Amino acid sequence: MPIPIPFLFLLLTAAAIIIPSSHAAAAVPQPRGFYINCGSDKEEQIGSIKWIQDEGFIAVGNVSAVAKPNILPLLATVRYFPDATARKYCYQLPAVKGSRYLVRTTYFYGGFDGGDEPPVFDQIVGGTRWSAVNTTENFRRGMSTYFEMVAQARGKTMSVCLARSNDTAPSRSPFISALELVSLDDSMYNSTDFGRFVMSSVARSRFGAKGEIVSYPDDVYNRYWAPYMDENPTVESHSPITPEAFWNVPPARALMAGITTSRGKKLAVQWPPVDLPPASYYVALYFQDSRTASPYSWRVFDVAVNGKEFFRDLNASAAGVMVYSTMMPLSGKTEIALTPSETSPVGPLINAGEIYQIVPLGDRTATRDVVAMEDLARSFKNPPPDWVGDPCLPRQNSWTGVICSEGSPVRVTSLDLKNHGLSGSLPDSIGNLTGMKTIYLSGNKLTGSIPDLSGMRILTALHLDGNQLSGAINPSLGKLANLKELYLNNNNLTGPIPESLKNKPGLDMRRYSLR
């Protein structure tokens, strides 16, 4: 399912924040995952994180420096993609199937291509179109832009891709400054069904706080917690905070301040600071009594969002508490209202919050087809540049020459790369593409033998003529009851034609010369 257009606007406004600086702290192990400085030619320690070059994660694109004075090292280079024939340009990152990850992409245009405003293009994770990337307003203000989502790996890799869209000018190139894949604990955000949804970040705020964005090493998962202030009074915590006591493990520093009001008064907070498109949201709110722990350090109040009950009689003790909603319908402006109980000795308060839009995953290509197509891509020495990521999805960004079925799961049904200058061979695993109806690979430079294709029971056309294939014709071809076209001429094949093919009814066979 495509992501609705209003959601894209929300991401652009909510994610437009300057890259934070790292807060000095004692040595903490680098958060698990990959931190890629796109276009850089060396590893570099930036703050508390070691960033690596993108070599080995992507095989296409060009590199450019960003000519801006005093630029952050992470934004000093970009990888960009001028090849307008490719349907997408993909990074492929190792992952653990079923594990949860924070994916973050960062963009800073900086006029690297001599233009006066950034190109507009799409970004894709797996087979799901994530959002449009339009960083124009932030570029005018000298700011970088980042996008985040929480997603589950469907296989042993996760692909993060850029793609041209109808809004991409023909002469412009998609680009990227940085890419992160951060491993999260299985307990985090575990109320969401990640087999059906991803969560796209809208806002993550620490209330009553000023100054910089809090991230790693305060947050061991390198999430960004932005300061949020309004006209309400603020308070600082006087009690120790144990992040592990909260689901989602927020950093202690994100809870060390809060927004509050006087005893007996209702506290109203307008948050997040953007209008929300109609959708379902995951909302997590964090509370902690700021007073020194004692028998009296508690606050009791009701929590409502847009006038609807969210949690009743919440006891925000010095130890802290988190409450959340998994599929909350919201739209427009959002108000969080905290109404104190009559016996509460102090007014209500709120320390931090996270909100994500719940985005349905798109269709899914059959796993066996994905594995087989990836194996085929590795067997070709020079596959098309977009042969990375999901071979079928999103449908407008399928691999060059690949046609897929409707319905679910999606199957690869046709491969057409005639006269494409391909070299390499056909792997045995191509026979696992059991939904394939036609294969057109004529006029290339493929070598090796014809593998066993007996599993392709609905195959109707196999054109391998004009290559450099050798060996005998695989007798499995005679088992394909639906095969109507078999072109094997102009190869280096040897041996007799199998009896099962000689007189096969309805078969148009272009024979080969014996060698």
Side-chain angles (χ1 to χ4, degrees):
M1 177 182 294
I3 302 174
I5 293 298
F7 169 67
L8 308 183
F9 173 77
L10 171 66
L11 270 177
L12 296 178
T13 55
I17 302 173
I18 293 178
I19 295 286
S21 61
S22 294
H23 177 64
V28 177
Q30 176 143 326
R32 295 174 299 170
F34 295 92
Y35 299 84
I36 301 172
N37 189 357
C38 301
S40 178
D41 60 359
K42 60 183 178 181
E43 293 186 2
E44 191 163 6
Q45 189 78 24
I46 302 174
S48 300
I49 293 178
K50 179 179 288 186
W51 293 80
I52 61 177
Q53 60 265 52
D54 57 8
E55 182 180 352
F57 298 103
I58 192 165
V60 297
N62 297 344
V63 169
S64 176
V66 177
K68 289 287 183 180
N70 303 317
I71 192 172
L72 291 171
L74 190 61
L75 308 178
T77 59
V78 298
R79 182 171 289 274
Y80 67 100
F81 306 94
D83 183 358
T85 66
R87 296 179 180 179
K88 57 188 172 188
Y89 322 94
C90 296
Y91 283 84
Q92 194 89 332
L93 288 79
V96 177
K97 183 178 180 180
S99 293
R100 203 161 301 151
Y101 294 89
L102 176 74
V103 182
R104 183 185 294 124
T105 53
T106 301
Y107 302 92
F108 183 70
Y109 171 59
F112 75 88
D113 58 358
D116 55 6
E117 66 177 35
V120 178
F121 50 93
D122 288 343
Q123 55 184 354
I124 300 163
V125 173
T128 298
R129 181 175 179 270
W130 180 4
S131 72
V133 176
N134 185 342
T135 64
T136 303
E137 291 302 319
N138 282 349
F139 168 65
R140 290 171 180 167
R141 294 181 293 183
M143 297 171 67
S144 61
T145 303
Y146 73 84
F147 299 78
E148 282 184 358
M149 72 155 53
V150 177
Q152 181 173 287
R154 290 182 168 186
K156 295 181 180 180
T157 60
M158 287 188 73
S159 63
V160 180
C161 311
L162 309 182
R164 294 171 182 271
S165 69
N166 293 333
D167 295 320
T168 308
S171 62
R172 309 304 301 281
S173 300
F175 72 96
I176 186 169
S177 303
L179 171 61
E180 299 165 67
L181 184 72
V182 186
S183 178
L184 303 177
D185 286 350
D186 291 341
S187 62
M188 299 172 66
Y189 310 107
N190 62 2
S191 58
T192 297
D193 181 357
F194 287 100
R196 298 172 56 205
F197 304 99
V198 297
M199 302 200 319
S200 194
S201 301
V202 176
R204 187 183 299 112
S205 301
R206 53 190 189 110
F207 296 121
K210 298 180 180 179
E212 65 182 358
I213 295 172
V214 167
S215 61
Y216 180 83
D218 294 289
D219 188 318
V220 297
Y221 304 100
N222 199 32
R223 292 167 295 182
Y224 295 167
W225 298 79
Y228 181 83
M229 298 281 289
D230 63 8
E231 69 281 359
N232 288 298
T234 62
V235 64
E236 293 186 1
S237 177
H238 297 280
S239 298
I241 299 167
T242 305
E244 291 76 13
F246 296 83
W247 285 1
N248 300 345
V249 199
R253 192 165 172 233
L255 306 182
M256 291 179 66
I259 292 174
T260 188
T261 190
S262 305
R263 176 182 178 180
K265 291 182 63 175
K266 176 181 174 180
L267 175 62
V269 178
Q270 303 294 326
W271 181 86
V274 293
D275 288 356
L276 303 178
S280 294
Y281 293 86
Y282 173 97
V283 182
L285 304 175
Y286 302 88
F287 309 89
Q288 192 254 355
D289 193 333
S290 60
R291 298 171 296 166
T292 303
S294 75
Y296 304 99
S297 60
W298 50 270
R299 301 172 189 247
V300 178
F301 47 86
D302 296 336
V303 183
V305 176
N306 289 347
K308 295 183 178 180
E309 183 178 297
F310 192 84
F311 199 93
R312 180 178 291 277
D313 292 332
L314 178 71
N315 183 1
S317 66
V321 64
M322 175 195 124
V323 295
Y324 68 94
S325 176
T326 57
M327 297 286 285
M328 190 170 194
L330 294 172
S331 65
K333 297 188 183 301
T334 307
E335 180 185 81
I336 300 170
L338 310 179
T339 304
S341 71
E342 295 181 357
T343 59
S344 184
V346 286
L349 91 169
I350 184 170
N351 301 78
E354 295 181 90
I355 182 167
Y356 300 82
Q357 186 172 0
I358 303 298
V359 181
L361 285 170
D363 290 332
R364 184 173 183 179
T365 303
T367 301
R368 67 182 299 169
D369 285 18
V370 173
V371 172
M373 290 300 292
E374 289 176 342
D375 200 16
L376 182 61
R378 286 189 292 268
S379 295
F380 289 159
K381 294 181 180 179
N382 51 340
D386 52 18
W387 271 42
V388 184
D390 193 295
C392 294
L393 301 170
R395 294 186 183 278
Q396 66 271 32
N397 304 108
S398 63
W399 291 4
T400 293
V402 173
I403 297 176
C404 302
S405 68
E406 301 292 333
S408 184
V410 177
R411 302 298 308 275
V412 177
T413 60
S414 180
L415 175 60
D416 187 351
L417 290 176
K418 296 187 296 288
N419 304 310
H420 222 80
L422 297 174
S423 58
S425 60
L426 298 176
D428 292 338
S429 57
I430 192 174
N432 294 332
L433 295 167
T434 56
M436 192 76 81
K437 297 178 181 178
T438 58
I439 298 176
Y440 304 113
L441 292 172
S442 306
N444 289 292
K445 299 177 182 179
L446 299 176
T447 58
S449 60
I450 300 173
D452 184 344
L453 303 182
S454 58
M456 294 183 167
R457 298 185 182 279
I458 63 174
L459 190 68
T460 61
L462 178 63
H463 293 194
L464 299 176
D465 51 305
N467 282 282
Q468 299 169 17
L469 298 171
S470 58
I473 297 178
N474 197 306
S476 66
L477 298 178
K479 301 178 182 179
L480 302 180
N482 293 288
L483 190 63
K484 302 301 180 185
E485 298 177 3
L486 179 61
Y487 297 177
L488 301 177
N489 49 304
N490 298 322
N491 278 288
N492 300 322
L493 297 168
T494 58
I497 297 173
E499 293 294 327
S500 58
L501 289 172
K502 281 184 177 179
N503 301 306
K504 186 175 174 60
L507 177 63
D508 175 13
M509 182 176 178
R510 305 284 174 89
R511 297 171 181 265
Y512 68 99
S513 300
L514 294 176
R515 295 179 185 271

